[in-house]
Amino acid sequence: MRTLRLSLALLVPTFAACQTGDDAAPLPPPHLGQDFPATQFLEFFNHQYSLPGGDYRLVVAPAASGTGSFDALATLDDGSVSEFSGSWTGAASADPADADDPSQALTLQRPGGIALALTASSAACVFLLDRTGAVVARAGDTDGTTDACDTGATAADGALPASKTDDIDYARAFYATIDPCNQRTTLGAWKAANGFGADDEHAIFRDARDLGYGRDMHLRHTADGGLAFYVRNYQVRDVPGAAYGPLNLDAALAGAAKYHVGTNAIEWGPVYEAADVDGTCDDAVDVNSDGVIDTKDFFTRHYTFEPGEDGARRLLVNLDGKGAKAMPQPCIVCHGGRADPLLPDPQNANPLSRFPRFGDTKARLQPFQVGTFDFGPSSPWTRADQEDVLRTLNQAVYDSYANYDGRRDPGTGPYAYPPAGEWDSQQARLMMESWYAGTTPAGNTPDVAGGPLADVAWDDSYVPAGWTVPGGAPADAAEFYTRVIAADCRTCHVLRGIGNFHNDDIDFTRYDKFIGHSDQVEGFVFDKGIMPLAYLPFSRFWDEGGAQAMADFLAGNADFLALDPDAAFTHLDADLRVVAPGAPVAKAGPDRTAPGFATVSGAASLFALNHHWEIESGPDGGTLDSADTIRTMLSGPDGTYVLKLTVDDGRGRDSSDTVTVVLDAAADDPRALTFDADIKPIFTSYGCVGCHYPPPESATPGLCDAVYLRPPVFWRDPQAGDCPATLNRDVYTDFRGRVDFMDPENSRVLRKPSGHHHGGGNVFGSTSDPGYQTVKEWILEGAREN
């Protein structure tokens, strides 16, 4: 009957019938309704904005002396446009710092990006300058090595993306690094490169708890010892209410080309170099510079392709109908990966190959949670028919974890390689072993020998020891783990965390790990509404009771309340029903000190349509330059001011927050802070470079000593004697990539050294520490390099 149902469904006429292709907007599943507009799923929390909010200046400069006229446009991320028209005289010059060049003030209320467009009567350029006069964006200038309009143009455009990681150039850099010779630009070419044929492993199912697709999954063990998976995704979008339902499985079983919305692919194995001797691009890269090509150099790489058996590779993909995202971000957010800043120079002979670590995002293969799949009603696609092949798929995933064990003791087994600063696979392996053993392995430790998974049907009754009373958890924790963590959090979080002495607490494999993140859980889940981080799992979490269960657990949890006795859980209404995200939350920003005047921002506020500032208390004579904008500037006599920000959503709901600003004429001017002069010395004097420095070159030139025994980021400039594989980096770019301009105190460069899940402990001691305050002020002022 399933096949008949699909056949009938294909005939149903609907207004959505033209919605084909992966970038169409499918009908949403039942979810939170119109009160919840968030769209930032499958994105990293820190978007690495191109520009901080602040005051800027548009300048038009002619390429040569003379007179001319122009029209310039600056379009911001919110769609607002600043128009700038006029003319220049013979006194104007190619130097945008020339006061005779026409200019116009521009304010970015929120961090983000900008698009510039110029039309001129003769060759000219348009520049965006920050408040220090530094050029931060340009159009019409072909030579970015100087701050002058070298050639100019009569028509030109240029742009800085809102997010440096969710940008097409980021995707281009990723593919150029993992496929430097462009050997995998179509699905057919990718399959050929990985040797797919008639003997690959094959399963069809619907992932009912992930993206809802019908999945036609294939696996091949490659000739170089790696793994290659590809999956054709099917989604029925022209039947109301079916976009995430069982018809997707019918479409996959039928191989219905109309509903094939795209193909995703993953390689786990070596990456190949573009600049090899014979030009065939088949020389594997010694990623860890230990002089040997082996599985320690293998890592996971993600691809996505257009529909069709030879679909072209995509740079952008819309997996859940909430907008296209740049690769590899929409894949690696749930595979344990990181989106680090691009390198200053190429990694290989492909000039676009600036992705760090040869393209290794630190993502992992996802285990197949068989119990969350829907299967066909008849052979050969029933669950019973496919148990063996799914165990084979899981065995391949399990085997790929062999290099990821966070123990310092190298031991002797296949899981003994101890890459410090890496994900620890022990809990993921333990979970997978329990799936095929039916019980938790003896001693709650994984199989050190790394043998095959048991030849039994998949069963998930696993509760980690750390969620039980003997493991130190309260009596209701094990039930909460099964009801919420296993159902709605574990899929992504079990692949998160780096080692059992760094940041492994984010994997939620113990009760104390979860409760230790309760402030962020409350913020991301109940305030911001972006966790779970994919749209369908998020909707299910709210529609099927997971959110209520989490709210009840936190509201009655003594450990949660003890973390901050003055901040009780506030996301239950008078009837103890969980309050959905979507209500405005005012965030006035961190307290600060400045001489003469200070700018504050409410950009971190949530679901806010209108903003209003007022001086709640302070010396007489204090004034705000604007009351009804996101950013406002306070000026007045020295003293302590309390500013109140009230935001509303235009529907009668509002929220308020306060920020304390100290004006002190004798204080250091935070506007003068730079990375080179003020921030780097802090992280040197506080001892951070004692751990955050690259491994040295070994006695054998070109090799590295203990390459994995360092944290994943380095706060020291490259220098002679460093491991060659770490020389292509820029400390400022790396550091800035861990700054959150929207919510400065959420920046990892502040949270980590303040003791939040940091292997180095609490370096600053407290947020009142002078070092913490300096870094915070530097971020608030735009995080200048020099």
Side-chain angles (χ1 to χ4, degrees), residues 181 272-284 349:
C181 294
Y272 294 94
E273 179 63 77
D276 59 358
V277 176
D278 58 6
T280 58
C281 204
D282 59 358
D283 290 343

Side-chain angles (χ1 to χ4, degrees), residues 567-779:
F569 188 81
T570 59
H571 300 277
L572 294 171
D573 65 15
D575 296 321
L576 301 183
R577 293 173 302 192
V578 65
V579 177
V585 178
K587 294 191 174 185
D591 298 342
R592 62 181 316 186
T593 299
F597 66 93
T599 301
V600 292
S601 173
S605 301
L606 306 173
F607 308 111
L609 178 64
N610 301 303
H611 299 71
H612 179 75
W613 294 91
E614 58 185 293
I615 299 175
E616 193 170 72
S617 64
D620 293 339
T623 61
L624 300 175
D625 70 336
S626 56
D628 297 318
T629 55
I630 296 171
R631 301 172 71 252
T632 189
M633 185 178 70
L634 169 71
S635 57
D638 284 0
T640 299
Y641 298 79
V642 176
L643 308 185
K644 180 180 179 181
L645 169 66
T646 301
V647 301
D648 68 73
D649 60 0
R651 303 173 58 192
R653 298 183 297 183
D654 60 28
S655 172
S656 296
D657 188 28
T658 60
V659 58
T660 298
V661 179
V662 176
L663 295 184
D664 180 0
D668 292 333
D669 188 352
R671 289 170 287 275
L673 295 171
T674 68
F675 180 74
D676 290 340
D678 303 286
I679 306 305
K680 283 175 66 176
I682 289 174
F683 286 85
T684 299
S685 64
Y686 281 63
C688 300
V689 295
C691 292
H692 289 269
Y693 72 93
E697 187 173 19
S698 74
T700 303
L703 303 184
C704 301
D705 283 332
V707 68
Y708 283 111
L709 298 181
R710 296 287 184 274
V713 292
F714 310 134
W715 298 147
R716 191 195 69 188
D717 290 322
Q719 60 187 45
D722 286 354
C723 169
T726 69
L727 293 177
N728 182 11
R729 58 190 169 86
D730 178 75
V731 174
Y732 169 72
T733 301
D734 259 4
F735 201 93
R736 191 183 189 276
R738 290 158 178 84
V739 165
D740 186 346
F741 285 115
M742 192 73 77
D743 190 359
E745 289 186 306
N746 194 47
S747 300
R748 278 181 286 171
V749 293
L750 285 175
R751 286 187 62 85
K752 285 280 193 175
S754 299
H756 291 87
H757 323 292
H758 182 222
N762 191 342
V763 176
F764 286 134
S766 72
T767 58
S768 61
D769 180 90
Y772 180 98
Q773 290 294 318
T774 298
V775 177
K776 179 193 72 176
E777 294 288 349
W778 172 73
I779 295 171

Side-chain angles (χ1 to χ4, degrees), residues 447-477:
D447 179 6
V448 175
L453 298 172
D455 186 14
V456 296
W458 188 96
D459 172 62
D460 186 14
S461 56
Y462 174 63
V463 175
W467 281 89
T468 62
V469 173
D476 58 346

Side-chain angles (χ1 to χ4, degrees), residues 349-435:
N350 190 320
L352 299 178
S353 62
R354 295 173 49 221
F355 210 89
R357 297 180 302 273
F358 301 98
D360 184 3
T361 64
K362 303 301 180 183
R364 319 297 174 196
L365 296 175
Q366 272 282 2
F368 291 85
Q369 301 193 58
V370 180
T372 68
F373 300 160
D374 286 345
F375 295 93
S378 59
S379 185
W381 305 116
T382 66
R383 174 170 174 170
D385 291 326
Q386 298 188 86
E387 279 280 5
D388 285 343
V389 70
L390 286 165
R391 182 170 49 255
T392 299
L393 299 182
N394 266 327
Q395 183 71 57
V397 172
Y398 180 88
D399 291 343
S400 76
Y401 294 165
N403 288 337
Y404 305 113
D405 190 331
R407 296 170 299 167
R408 284 190 181 275
D409 179 6
T412 58
Y415 297 98
Y417 187 62
E422 292 280 357
W423 170 67
D424 182 352
S425 70
Q426 293 190 67
Q427 288 297 329
R429 289 184 284 118
L430 182 64
M431 176 186 71
M432 296 182 74
E433 290 170 15
S434 74
W435 286 350

Side-chain angles (χ1 to χ4, degrees), residues 36-349:
F36 180 68
T39 61
Q40 294 180 355
F41 297 106
L42 300 179
E43 296 181 9
F44 284 95
F45 300 147
N46 181 8
H47 293 81
Q48 296 187 31
Y49 299 104
S50 290
L51 297 171
D55 297 320
Y56 296 85
R57 192 160 52 95
L58 284 172
V59 177
V60 173
S65 60
T67 61
S69 60
F70 66 89
D71 291 299
L73 294 176
T75 305
L76 307 184
D77 298 325
D78 60 6
S80 62
V81 176
S82 178
E83 299 186 41
F84 181 29
S85 300
S87 60
W88 65 84
T89 68
S93 74
D95 183 359
D98 190 332
D100 291 314
D101 289 346
S103 67
Q104 174 176 290
L106 176 67
T107 297
L108 270 66
Q109 295 289 343
R110 291 186 174 93
I114 192 168
L116 300 176
L118 174 70
T119 302
S121 60
S122 59
C125 307
V126 59
F127 295 91
L128 182 71
L129 277 58
D130 67 13
R131 59 173 176 76
T132 70
V135 175
V136 293
R138 65 185 77 206
D141 186 19
T142 58
D143 182 5
T145 61
T146 69
D147 287 341
C149 184
D150 299 291
T151 57
T154 56
D157 56 66
L160 292 177
S163 167
K164 292 185 176 181
T165 54
D166 187 18
D167 178 61
I168 196 167
D169 284 340
Y170 198 76
R172 289 189 179 110
F174 175 66
Y175 283 137
T177 307
I178 64 172
D179 183 28
C181 294
N182 295 314
Q183 297 172 315
R184 294 163 170 81
T185 57
T186 67
L187 175 61
W190 183 92
K191 289 165 64 176
N194 286 287
F196 275 91
D199 59 342
D200 53 293
E201 303 290 347
H202 182 205
I204 297 179
F205 52 87
R206 182 174 79 94
D207 61 338
R209 298 190 69 84
D210 183 10
L211 294 171
Y213 290 155
R215 298 257 174 149
D216 184 357
M217 178 74 65
H218 298 255
L219 161 67
R220 183 165 185 80
H221 289 76
T222 57
D224 54 19
L227 303 167
F229 293 85
Y230 77 90
V231 56
R232 299 185 187 96
N233 298 315
Y234 291 84
Q235 188 174 35
V236 176
R237 292 173 166 174
D238 56 5
V239 178
Y244 299 92
L247 287 184
N248 294 337
L249 174 59
D250 295 341
L253 293 171
K258 177 179 180 179
Y259 298 116
H260 178 204
V261 294
T263 299
N264 297 337
I266 303 177
E267 296 170 340
W268 177 80
V271 67
Y272 294 94
E273 179 63 77
D276 59 358
V277 176
D278 58 6
T280 58
C281 204
D282 59 358
D283 290 343
V285 177
D286 182 11
V287 173
N288 63 2
S289 297
D290 65 356
V292 179
I293 305 294
D294 56 18
T295 58
K296 299 182 184 69
D297 299 296
F298 288 14
F299 60 87
T300 302
R301 300 176 293 281
H302 294 261
Y303 302 78
T304 185
F305 300 93
E306 296 283 355
E309 290 310 296
D310 201 28
R313 192 167 68 194
R314 286 169 163 157
L315 295 168
L316 306 174
V317 60
N318 186 355
L319 289 177
D320 59 2
K322 302 299 282 186
K325 311 293 193 303
M327 288 291 290
Q329 181 177 233
C331 299
I332 66 176
V333 290
C334 200
H335 280 259
R338 301 205 314 259
D340 289 339
L342 297 180
L343 298 171
D345 299 305
Q347 287 269 71
N348 54 51

